[in-house]
Amino acid sequence: MTVEMKLAVTANDVRSFSETNSEPAWFTTLRESAFAQAAELAMPKPDKTNITKWDFTTFPSWTVESDQVNALNELPAEVATLVDGESQHNVYVQRNNTPAFHKVSQELTDKGVIFTDIFTAMREHSDLVQKYFMTEAVKVDEHKLTALHAALVNGGVFVYVPRNVVIEEPLQAVFLHDNAEASLFNHVIVVAEESAAVTYVETYVSTVEEAKGQANIVAEVLVGDNAQVTFGAVDVLAKGFTTYVNRRARVGRDGKMDWALGLMSDSNTVSENITHLVGDNGSADSKTVVVGRGEQKQNFTTEIRHWGKDTAGHILKHGVMKDAAQSIFNGIGMIEKGATRSDAQQESRVLMLSEKARGDANPILLIDEDDVTAGHAASVGRVDESQLYYLMSRGISKQEAERLIIHGFLAPVVTQLPIEGVKKQLTEVIERKVR
Amino acid sequence: MSTLVIKDLHVAIDGKEILKGVNLTINTNEVHAIMGPNGTGKSTLASAIMGHPKYEVTSGSIELDGEDVLEMEVDERAKAGLFLAMQYPSEINGVTNADFLRSAINARREEGDEISLMKFIRELDKTMAFLEMDEDMAQRYLNEGFSGGEKKRNEILQLMMIKPKIAVLDEIDSGLDIDALKVVSKGINEMRGEGFGCLMITHYQRLLNYITPDKVHVMMQGKVVKSGGAELAQRLEAEGYDWIKQELGIEEEAEQDV
Ligand SMILES: Nc1ncnc2c1ncn2[C@@H]1O[C@H](COP(=O)(O)OP(=O)(O)O)[C@@H](O)[C@H]1O
Ligand SMILES: [Mg+2]
């Protein structure tokens, strides 16, 4: 079953890269061990999509050098417009594998907040990163792709919000992909300690037409007791990547986790978004919107797993499929024994814009406890005729009516993104993709 | 002046003939009322005028100022000046009332000549205040989660913003409490005048206490069987439909709820 790995990187390369990069010893060891495991471990098996023929391991070079900039306006317009100018005080821009621009307010620094690239964080806060790096949310040895990721991390962000610190303004990360040779093994960690609150928004944007590398991305979110994290993401990666993106959270007692994911990449994609509600009374709200086009094949798994009592999990997934795109939407609500009075709800809707497109909504409820509430709604269909008629009866053309209905269908994530520039960009990407 | 002329209109749904030869002429500056028992084809007439794809016109004609309405797409009919306040308006998630209305207004204008946002908001605020609607209705999703009464009010809001030449209002009064009915009537009366003609479909004479029609038509079994002035509605209210059935020798049939 396991595909032979033909990597452009050897164990020696991994060690010497780690040393050159002045990484702490624990991380060099972690990389080496992960690299060895990657060769042995099996591929993940996303439900209902056969990925055995997908190439997750070939890439031209592990890292590429890119220019840094002194100001945002030196970056391509696609990036500059994402940032709400001067009012956005906390921004990290990574260009391919290079931290290209970074600013963080004195106020946050004074409060003990850490918001920096993952390697700086490892050098300056080694213990803290070690505590959270693939220990609580995602594990190195889950499968070949997590191990490969750990071995080859070449970028990412570390966010740490101390106890009782509430950050009003969103932290923004932009991952610019403007070199076709580049591969993205980004690792993001967001930690909100007890009663802390933070909103983090990341955007992946390709400005090259076609990628030659790999995107193997992991984000881990640790939501402490009574803490709140809102995680927004817009992915607009080019075709050519084989994208594996794993965004996972672990939520403590009374904690709250909100996901707003606009998954607009043109690559073949396996995306998983899992939230573990570990403490009592925690809640998670996971919203995902997707547009698939061309020959793209994608698998989106959203799962909320209830361990604590009185936990609430809501999943919303809306996908638009056009051309010959194929997507599977797995939505999983899982209530473990003992998670009494928990509530697992989900809604999956797929809108088909062409004959050849395929979209399957696959809602799953796995319940091991009696005293719970759960429900799901799923639908796959075309644009509603009576809605079209209604809009057209007001003079709106059929084309414009369809456009309004589609944007409305994808609005649940758009409206949730707290940064105007990112919201606008997602709207434009949707516009471009569904046209 | 504009005129909508409906001649010998036959309409079928799924192969079943519902309208069996309707004749009607509506001019601007006139308010017509169509009354009739449930299931007699009133909504079918409204849908055929607006061009609902499910309703097949098998013969007859509809013309607006000499233009063949039946040749037009739904949006073209609207742009020609027709409007239908629907009995059951659709709910559209994610599209705000305001965005929808602006699209509808701009659809009537040339590219480059779109209504300015300021002007639009001013008109919207004014009209919503006139209809005693909550300000937040503008930013709510189109009809989503609206109560029956809110939906009807929203239809009238659209009517007033779009300003059609000829409007068909299908049971705009059903499900309204007396206060809402007054507000809706106020909106329709405000529209009345030189450039506006209206065909109100209703079940109840009550609406006509607030909007005095110029003409009243009775529809039964897919035809307009009787026409008269406002006094006809009063007689229907007092005596029901039986006398017409007797007068015309119409067989008794069970009322259908639609
Ligand atoms: N979509 C439909 N499909 C099949 N029959 C319909 C449909 N809509 C209406 N009808 C039938 O057409 C007849 C007239 O309905 P309608 O025009 O809605 O009546 P009214 O508005 O006067 O109550 C009824 O017998 C009804 O059952
Ligand atoms: Mg009706």
Side-chain angles (χ1 to χ4, degrees), chain B residues 13-14 16 18 37-44 54-55 256 258:
Chain B
I13 312 168
D14 300 333
K16 181 181 161 212
I18 308 291
N38 261 336
T40 52
K42 302 183 300 297
S43 291
T44 302
K54 261 202 102 163
Y55 295 73
Q256 288 167 293
V258 179

Side-chain angles (χ1 to χ4, degrees), chain A residues 318 384-398 400 403-405 407-409 411-412 415, chain B residues 50 52 74-75 78-79 83-84 86 89-95 100 103-104 107-108 141-143 155 158:
Chain A
H318 286 186
D384 185 76
E385 285 293 329
S386 49
Q387 290 186 341
L388 270 183
Y389 169 64
Y390 186 69
L391 294 180
M392 287 175 73
S393 79
R394 298 330 187 212
I396 297 170
S397 70
K398 185 168 184 182
E400 176 68 7
R403 200 188 72 88
L404 282 172
I405 292 167
H407 277 277
F409 181 68
T415 54
Chain B
M50 206 64 232
H52 191 296
V74 177
D75 58 321
K79 285 196 275 190
F83 181 93
L84 168 60
M86 301 203 187
S90 288
E91 302 189 2
I92 300 175
N93 199 276
V95 178
F100 156 68
S103 296
R108 288 167 171 71
Y141 293 151
L142 180 51
N143 292 328
E155 293 291 285
Q158 294 170 41

Side-chain angles (χ1 to χ4, degrees), chain A residues 312-323:
Chain A
H314 289 200
I315 296 172
L316 176 145
K317 303 170 88 165
H318 286 186
V320 173
M321 292 295 121
K322 60 177 273 199
D323 305 332

Side-chain angles (χ1 to χ4, degrees), chain B residues 100-101 105 114 126 162-163 170 206 212 217 245:
Chain B
F100 156 68
L101 266 172
I105 288 168
E114 286 88 0
K126 197 182 77 188
I162 290 172
K163 303 182 182 67
D170 193 357
R206 189 181 69 154
T212 312
H217 312 276
K245 288 181 186 162

